[in-house]
Each structure stands twice: as structure tokens, then as C-alpha cells.
Amino acid sequence: MLNFIFGRSGYGKTEYCFSEIKRLVMLGHENILLLTPEQYNFTAEKRLLTMLGESRVNCVQNLSFTRLSNELKRLYGGDTLPVLSKGAKAVLMKKAIDAVKEDLSVFSNKTQMISFIKAVTDIYDEMRSCDKSCQEIRAAANSVDKKLLSGKLADISTIIEKYEELTGGLYLDPADEFARLFHKLEQTRYLEGKTVFIDGFNGFVANEFKILDLIIRDCENVYITLATDTYGQNNDYSLFAYIDKTAASLYAIAEKYNIKVNIVDLTENRRTSDRFLLACEKGVYSNQAQTVSDRPESVSIYKAKDISDECAYTALQIKKMLRKGLMAREIAVICRDAEKYRNELSYAFRKYEIPFFDDERQSISSQPLIVFVTYLLRCAVYSFRSEDVLSLAKTGLTRLENRDISSLENYIYMWSINGIKKWGSDFVNSTKGFT
């Protein structure tokens, strides 16, 4: 059976799934799969462990589509050909571009640009995720009336055709991972008898739809959550029109295999009981919003002169909340464009002495532990170069105090300490030089 759980954001779709998972586990079911986007896997696994405990958590597998592919490789064997890394893929794409540059009409003067190689690689990845071939791109080029667009499509199909010729039978492209997953699921009995919960997705690409086709066909029960409350209204201009089309496509798959469909509509917002916030949630993007005559205490609008004024006002309001006893961890500031506001907000928070955490994506290579391990290895590989030793000391993960690090830095530059031999000798000279 295919079960749809419909509801707007905050209406309890995820809670419904976890409650149903708990009920099934308590009844003795052990063949349960929870599919979530990659970024939600850790949160979902933590919640499953808390809810089911160590003894029952193994009854449920929490995977993303990518991790599902890895799981099938573990169970039924991996790929017979090597999978291209990003670097190897870029090299082969450049080789393909160079091989056909004389045949290009629009992009012939772009072939040496690094940005063009990256753009073509991204186009290829997008094309494969949508299950499109270079022949379909060429057919589209021939059917387009606009000469420039037709030329661009023809050039792209020429490059991709050459790229696939270079990789065919020798390498596997990571962009085809979902296509390989589909074939693996089709050839095995992995899905038979499983109960699958699919949560956290707003839509699916073509290859994911093909995988869902198999899941709906072969599994005992499938639960899919979708953030919409307008399914069945056939309104192409509603806020959730795209999600409604996704639901309709999944419904069509169930009908194709004569599988029963059950729809659960969740109609109550569980994140707040404040009527003014509920009115905003329901009507802020609607052209038929209800008006509220009372003056709301939980919603306010401030007309700022500029970003600085906006951030200063926000900081002052937070300062007032903190003085009333609210905890800083209970307050969130949400921006449409974080980069645009980051510096101004940081300045305003520091000015008003507000403790804050900036949820900014950071490279793992800049984290102290990774830097420490990296320079530890560099010290061993490059025989204790002074810049590597100092970088290691400045991670903050050694026993050296900042004053000691500064003195060490002065000493090694004063006495030209470099290499394993000098670092292995006693430091007996003065940090002030010859005086």
C-alpha cells in the first residue's frame, strides 16, 4: 500500500512517521527502511536511537539514496570499473573538449577556460540526474528555432558524446550512481517485504522517480511525506503546485501496479498555538488571506532605513528578551541572504554583548583538529620545517601557551631553526639574539 502524509510545514508529518515506525517495531517488524535526505540522516538516526533504544534501533535502517547505493554494493558486490573522482572527471572532460573544439560553433573560443570545463561538467551531472542522453540534447537542438540556443545545445551534445566515448567501458561516472542503483534494485530482492518511510523530500529528479517506482512496486508498505495541503485541487498556480505534481506522479505509479493508496491529511500546526503566527503561516503567501482586527503582540514589522539599522534594531530586541529571562539558545535570526547580513549582524551582536552562534558552512580543512593532523603529517614528511611546526603549535591543541608560542617563533627566526637536525638539538641561545 502507498500511504501519503500531506500537511504544511510544522503539521507533524515527521512525527507521524516516527510514531508509525515505533508502533511497527513494537509489533515485531524488523524490515523497516527510513529514507531521508543526506543532511537529515544524523538527526534521524539520533532520534531513532532515543525513541527505540539500543536493543531495537537495528530494526530500522536510516539511509539516503546515496547511502542506499552503498548498502547494496556492500550486500551484493560493488562496481567492476573504477569510479571517476572529481579531478579525473575534469581532466577527461577537458580532453573531450579539446578533441572536438574544431567542431564547436558557439563555444569554440571558450575551450581553454576553467570555468567552461566546470560548467559543462555541471551540465552533464544535471543531465544524468534527469535521465537525459546526448542524443536527446541533440534532438532538442535540431527542434529549437533560436539559432544561438540551438548552437549551444549542439555544442554541449557534441562534447558530452565525446566524453562518454572516452569513459565508456573504462570508467564509471559518479553522476550515473542513481542509474546504477536502479539496475541493482531491479536485479535483486532487497526491497521485497520492506516497509519504507520517505521523509524530508519536496521533490524528486527523474532517476529518483525510477527508484521510487521499484520501491512502490516491490515493498509491502510505503509512506511518503509531502509538504502540501492543496493536493487534488488541480491549481497550477498554488503555493504547493510543484509538490502536488510530485504527488500526482507517485499516485500514477501506484495505479500502474494496482496498488491501494491511502491519504492522511494533517491539518493542525504543532509548532505554535499563537493565533497571529498561525494567521501569518497560512496567509503570508496567499492572495486570499484572512485579516486580523486585533493588534498582535507576537508579530511586529519594523521599517528600517538600511541593513545597519535593521541589524541594530534586531540586536536591541534580542537584548530586551535576554533581560526578561529568555535564553540565547531559544532565539533564532533568519535571513534570506546570510552573506548580505553576516558582517552587520555580527557587529551589532558584539556591540550589544549578545552571545551568538553563526550557522555558516565552513570547510573541514579549517577546523583545528584537521589542521593539527595535517601539519603533524607535514612535519613527518618534510622533516620538521619551521612553518609546519609553528602551524601545528598555533592550532590550540598543544600544551603551549600563546606567550610560549610567540617566544618559540622569535627564537626560530632569530637562529634560523629549520629541519629535523636543528629541531632535535637543545635551544640554548637567547631569544634576543647576541645580546
Side-chain angles (χ1 to χ4, degrees):
M1 178 184 287
L2 174 61
N3 300 273
F4 284 117
I5 299 95
F6 293 141
R8 297 166 73 102
S9 180
Y11 278 43
K13 299 183 295 298
T14 299
E15 186 65 36
Y16 181 95
C17 283
F18 278 88
S19 297
E20 191 66 16
I21 288 171
K22 185 177 181 179
R23 184 183 71 82
L24 291 173
V25 169
M26 294 304 174
L27 290 174
H29 291 257
E30 297 181 350
N31 206 4
I32 301 172
L33 173 62
L34 172 62
L35 277 178
T36 57
E38 194 79 45
Q39 63 269 28
Y40 298 144
N41 280 168
F42 175 77
T43 305
E45 286 178 359
K46 183 179 178 182
R47 183 169 181 179
L48 286 171
L49 180 60
T50 304
M51 180 178 73
L52 301 175
E54 294 181 15
S55 60
R56 292 192 176 97
V57 72
N58 289 330
C59 297
V60 185
Q61 272 190 303
N62 177 213
L63 303 171
S64 63
F65 282 108
T66 303
R67 291 176 65 187
L68 177 60
S69 178
N70 294 335
E71 177 69 8
L72 262 70
K73 289 175 187 176
R74 184 184 69 82
L75 294 173
Y76 303 106
D79 302 315
T80 55
L81 296 174
V83 179
L84 288 171
S85 65
K86 286 185 178 180
K89 185 172 180 175
V91 169
L92 285 173
M93 188 63 76
K94 177 65 168 67
K95 191 174 180 180
I97 292 169
D98 289 340
V100 299
K101 64 181 178 181
E102 300 298 331
D103 302 325
L104 304 180
S105 59
V106 178
F107 297 122
S108 57
N109 60 340
K110 307 283 188 182
T111 57
Q112 301 303 315
M113 297 173 63
I114 296 174
S115 58
F116 178 67
I117 299 169
K118 184 180 184 303
V120 176
T121 304
D122 291 343
I123 289 170
Y124 179 77
D125 291 346
E126 186 71 20
M127 187 189 82
R128 296 308 301 148
S129 71
C130 296
D131 197 27
K132 299 298 178 183
S133 66
C134 58
Q135 289 78 18
E136 290 176 285
I137 301 297
R138 189 174 294 279
N142 295 331
S143 63
V144 171
D145 295 331
K146 294 182 180 179
K147 186 177 179 180
L148 180 60
L149 178 58
S150 177
K152 287 180 177 180
L153 290 172
D155 284 359
I156 289 169
S157 67
T158 301
I159 294 169
I160 289 173
E161 187 175 15
K162 187 63 180 179
Y163 171 77
E164 290 182 342
E165 183 184 317
L166 291 173
T167 58
L170 297 173
Y171 305 101
L172 296 175
D173 194 291
D176 293 324
E177 187 68 33
F178 286 177
R180 294 193 292 274
L181 171 60
F182 169 77
H183 292 302
K184 187 76 76 173
L185 287 171
E186 200 172 31
Q187 295 164 6
T188 62
R189 304 176 65 182
Y190 176 79
L191 294 172
E192 287 186 10
K194 282 190 180 295
T195 297
V196 178
F197 292 82
I198 302 170
D199 183 40
F201 295 92
N202 289 325
F204 306 94
V205 296
N207 277 326
E208 290 173 336
F209 268 116
K210 290 172 68 176
I211 295 167
L212 290 172
D213 187 294
L214 295 179
I215 290 174
I216 293 170
R217 185 192 73 183
D218 296 341
C219 292
E220 184 178 332
N221 281 296
V222 180
Y223 295 79
I224 301 178
T225 67
L226 290 171
T228 178
D229 61 351
T230 57
Y231 178 70
Q233 296 182 12
N234 299 319
N235 184 358
D236 292 337
Y237 302 100
S238 72
L239 180 62
F240 304 111
Y242 172 75
I243 301 174
D244 291 340
K245 289 178 181 177
T246 298
S249 299
L250 295 171
Y251 196 104
I253 293 172
E255 284 189 326
K256 181 173 66 173
Y257 297 115
N258 295 318
I259 293 172
K260 293 176 65 175
V261 178
N262 176 47
I263 295 176
V264 178
D265 284 311
L266 303 177
T267 57
E268 182 181 349
N269 191 311
R270 300 190 179 190
R271 288 182 180 165
T272 182
S273 58
D274 185 280
R275 66 189 185 95
F276 298 112
L277 288 175
L278 289 173
C280 287
E281 185 270 328
K282 286 188 176 180
V284 68
Y285 295 113
S286 173
N287 55 4
Q288 298 177 339
Q290 294 181 347
T291 57
V292 179
S293 57
D294 300 346
R295 183 184 177 91
E297 296 180 359
S298 53
V299 181
S300 62
I301 299 175
Y302 176 73
K303 185 179 179 180
K305 297 177 183 178
D306 50 32
I307 290 178
S308 299
D309 183 28
E310 191 176 355
C311 294
Y313 175 80
T314 301
L316 281 171
Q317 296 305 308
I318 292 173
K319 190 72 173 179
K320 290 179 182 178
M321 294 177 188
L322 294 176
R323 285 174 178 167
K324 291 179 181 178
L326 201 66
M327 303 294 288
R329 65 171 177 265
E330 298 172 328
I331 303 171
V333 178
I334 302 171
C335 309
R336 181 181 292 274
D337 185 353
E339 290 298 324
K340 188 176 178 181
Y341 283 85
R342 178 165 284 116
N343 292 335
E344 291 289 349
L345 269 176
S346 297
Y347 172 76
F349 289 157
R350 287 195 296 269
K351 179 180 177 181
Y352 293 104
E353 299 179 342
I354 297 172
F356 69 98
F357 166 72
D358 186 0
D359 186 18
E360 179 185 8
R361 185 184 292 272
Q362 296 180 347
S363 171
I364 191 172
S365 60
S366 64
Q367 301 305 309
L369 181 59
I370 303 301
V371 174
F372 180 85
V373 174
T374 300
Y375 281 101
L376 196 63
L377 293 171
R378 287 175 68 91
C379 287
V381 172
Y382 298 112
S383 300
F384 284 79
R385 294 190 307 194
S386 291
E387 56 264 34
D388 293 336
V389 177
L390 283 173
S391 297
L392 183 72
K394 290 177 180 178
T395 59
L397 299 179
T398 66
R399 293 184 178 181
L400 294 175
E401 300 291 338
N402 289 336
R403 178 181 292 182
D404 296 332
I405 295 172
S406 298
S407 298
L408 176 62
E409 188 170 10
N410 291 337
Y411 186 92
I412 65 174
Y413 285 123
M414 177 65 67
W415 297 104
S416 300
I417 305 298
N418 201 39
I420 192 168
K421 185 176 180 180
K422 288 193 174 182
W423 276 101
S425 304
D426 293 337
F427 291 179
V428 294
N429 296 323
S430 171
T431 57
K432 298 180 180 178
F434 294 100
T435 59

